[in-house]
DNA sequence: CGTTGACTTGAACGATATCAAACAGGGTGG
DNA sequence: CCACCCTGTTTGATATCGTTCAAGTCAACG
């Protein structure tokens, strides 16, 4: 049984995603209900307070989760990268709005079919649980940032976080300068850090002037000294 | 089997806590490893980044979860009330500092014994999962507050949250004024809202002057119009 | 009573927001 | 190819909200 090759076998995030827990026969059943989907930037994946139609693994790209107040103020409450799981299992309504910020490739699972599988495969549910714990850790870390860090520390923390998550696999940033592209526009960074666009922009030029980073265009960041940036991200002096 | 009465049978939070999922034989095994513990206010339950010795259900009282920066700035990342579960399952190190803020009664379970039970009782793990999802919802809701709300909205939101969670069972606050005691001191409220003590204090007197609330001493709150306070908690105008 | 700790109030300051304008890059149509 | 616009970004001037620092109040307690 199951000698033939599955799409999953060549999946870039196979072992890092929630699928990593599954045995061969299990992955075959999951494979049977999976559909890949390609989305352009700005595509709405889930609407706040609506019933989601499907769950998904992110194969590539970046998705933002946002919440808003009645008057339009917005806050990004989560950023999801390749191998992250999208959607709240065991919840009927989405607690946030989810939207692609780059081109995104998803591996989707119809909601009720997927939920049946989580019942059958205990490891799958456990893996979802682990993922949720990671999300909770990230959220609480961000609460500390939002509540207690200065604008400069916020931006520094943001750059470190993105640097860490964008390289994910090829993480060889010991010592020398590290280059990467920001997936978010200034307005989105502001919504993530609880700041305004202008403040974010000013902090970038400040970091540039103080030789923490250098910029190519407005999206490409070169971190000149990761360790110095890390120090800045937690203390006003540094 | 299991005809005799267990401590769990008279437990005030029996059905609301993670134990609610368990069958009679299961609850007996859990009962066998449970120990109740009474703590005074200010008792440290878990230290950030240390191995926890036990998990616990909160039977009564309030526990705060905090994270801090190197220089002493602090942020409360979670408030736990009766029936909440304390401790991160499947994690070796505590991601936060946990401390009682009132007198607290806990029902504790030794870590490895409890983890064995979660393996045996699938519903128990599922229930823990559900609890974690609730915590995540709360955390993301709070991110919106920390990043985007004004001091006034923050304090109003805080009062609503406490009012909701303190009454828990007897929630009959339709219409008339609602009275309750704050479990937190001003300094702790400040750490929860990402503000300073002084700002919190000023907002309380503002709410008092504007007839949203009335105070008895500094800890007892009377919300004069719940609906008006709710409107205030989400919009600057109101 | 005097002391202590938690809370409130006041005045001045500063970080970030707000409002406004200039700038840069990329695409389009002439 | 250039003029134009569109959108995102940067920069500048000013305003505001919340912080900081400093007193002052109040209740509990020895």
């Amino acid at each position: 049984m199951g000698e033939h090759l599955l799409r999953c076998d060549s999946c870039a995030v196979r072992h890092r995603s929630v699928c990593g827990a599954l045995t061969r026969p299990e992955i075959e059943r999951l494979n049977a209900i999976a559909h890949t989907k390609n989305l352009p930037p700005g595509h709405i994946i889930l609407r706040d307070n609506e019933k989601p139609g499907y769950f998904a693994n992110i194969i590539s790209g970046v998705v933002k989760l946002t919440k808003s107040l009645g008057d339009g103020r917005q806050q990004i409450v989560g950023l999801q990268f390749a191998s992250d799981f999208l959607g709240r299992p065991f919840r009927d309504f989405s607690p946030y709005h989810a939207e692609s910020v780059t081109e995104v490739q998803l591996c989707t699972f119809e909601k009720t079919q997927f939920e049946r599988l989580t019942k059958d495969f205990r490891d799958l549910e456990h893996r979802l649980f682990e993922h949720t714990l990671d999300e909770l850790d990230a959220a609480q870390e961000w609460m500390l940032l939002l509540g207690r860090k200065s604008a400069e520390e916020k931006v520094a923390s943001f750059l470190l976080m993105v640097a860490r998550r964008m390289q994910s696999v090829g993480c060889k940033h010991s010592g020398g300068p590290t280059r990467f592209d920001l997936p978010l526009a200034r307005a989105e960074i502001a919504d993530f850090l609880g700041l305004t666009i202008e403040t974010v922009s000013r902090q970038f030029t400040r970091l540039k002037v103080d030789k923490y980073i250098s910029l190519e265009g407005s999206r490409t960041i070169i971190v000149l000294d990761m360790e110095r940036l890390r120090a800045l991200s937690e203390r006003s002096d540094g």
Side-chain angles (χ1 to χ4, degrees), chain A:
Chain A
M1 41 141 109
E3 294 304 323
H4 60 294
L5 239 49
L6 303 173
R7 200 175 358 167
C8 298
D9 290 317
S10 57
C11 175
V13 298
R14 166 83 165 82
H15 46 296
R16 283 184 297 144
S17 71
V18 289
C19 310
L22 303 177
T23 63
R24 187 70 193 173
E26 288 171 351
I27 204 102
E28 283 174 8
R29 280 191 50 199
L30 187 61
N31 187 79
I33 67 165
H35 298 275
T36 58
K37 224 176 190 173
N38 288 71
L39 308 176
H43 182 90
I44 295 172
I45 300 169
L46 299 167
R47 270 173 221 281
D48 195 357
N49 231 288
E50 287 192 9
K51 278 193 153 72
Y54 56 83
F55 297 119
N57 282 320
I58 300 178
I59 296 174
S60 67
V62 180
V63 173
K64 67 175 176 184
L65 314 178
T66 64
K67 274 176 167 286
S68 348
L69 262 8
D71 59 0
R73 283 174 289 176
Q74 246 193 6
Q75 177 67 43
I76 293 184
V77 298
L79 257 201
Q80 312 247 257
F81 296 83
S83 86
D84 284 343
F85 183 82
L86 211 56
R88 276 279 217 293
F90 313 119
R91 286 281 187 273
D92 280 344
F93 300 96
S94 176
Y96 45 63
H97 174 100
E99 187 177 324
S100 56
V101 299
T102 63
E103 290 205 344
V104 165
Q105 192 174 13
L106 297 182
C107 178
T108 70
F109 314 102
E110 194 278 323
K111 188 168 186 302
T112 56
Q113 285 180 317
F114 185 80
E115 281 173 343
R116 183 159 36 244
L117 288 194
T118 66
K119 288 211 174 59
D120 293 350
F121 309 151
R122 179 162 183 189
D123 283 349
L124 182 57
E125 179 173 323
H126 184 77
R127 195 82 172 209
L128 284 172
F129 191 177
E130 292 275 1
H131 174 86
T132 304
L133 287 170
D134 288 342
E135 236 179 308
L136 181 55
D137 279 344
Q140 294 185 335
E141 191 69 40
W142 221 249
M143 287 173 71
L144 177 61
L145 174 143
L146 291 171
R148 291 304 185 199
K149 289 190 182 180
S150 69
E152 189 176 41
E153 293 169 308
K154 283 177 174 180
V155 172
S157 303
F158 170 76
L159 290 177
L160 287 168
M161 189 278 267
V162 172
R164 189 171 53 77
R165 297 243 32 193
M166 292 296 279
Q167 281 140 231
S168 41
V169 188
C171 49
K172 47 89 218 172
H173 58 275
S174 48
T178 312
R179 170 203 308 252
F180 57 90
D181 282 1
L182 294 176
L184 303 185
R186 295 290 182 273
E188 294 170 316
I189 298 173
D191 282 345
F192 199 19
L193 300 177
L195 299 170
T196 59
I197 299 180
E198 295 93 326
T199 301
V200 170
S201 179
R202 278 186 247 274
Q203 293 305 330
F204 270 107
T205 60
R206 197 129 136 39
L207 289 177
K208 205 169 52 178
V209 168
D210 294 348
K211 300 265 186 280
Y212 286 93
I213 63 172
S214 129
L215 289 177
E216 280 175 15
S218 63
R219 290 293 192 113
T220 303
I221 300 283
I222 298 151
V223 177
L224 299 174
D225 184 341
M226 201 57 97
E227 213 34 70
R228 211 159 71 91
L229 190 64
R230 177 162 296 120
L232 185 67
S233 75
E234 301 218 340
R235 283 171 303 110
S236 298
D237 60 272

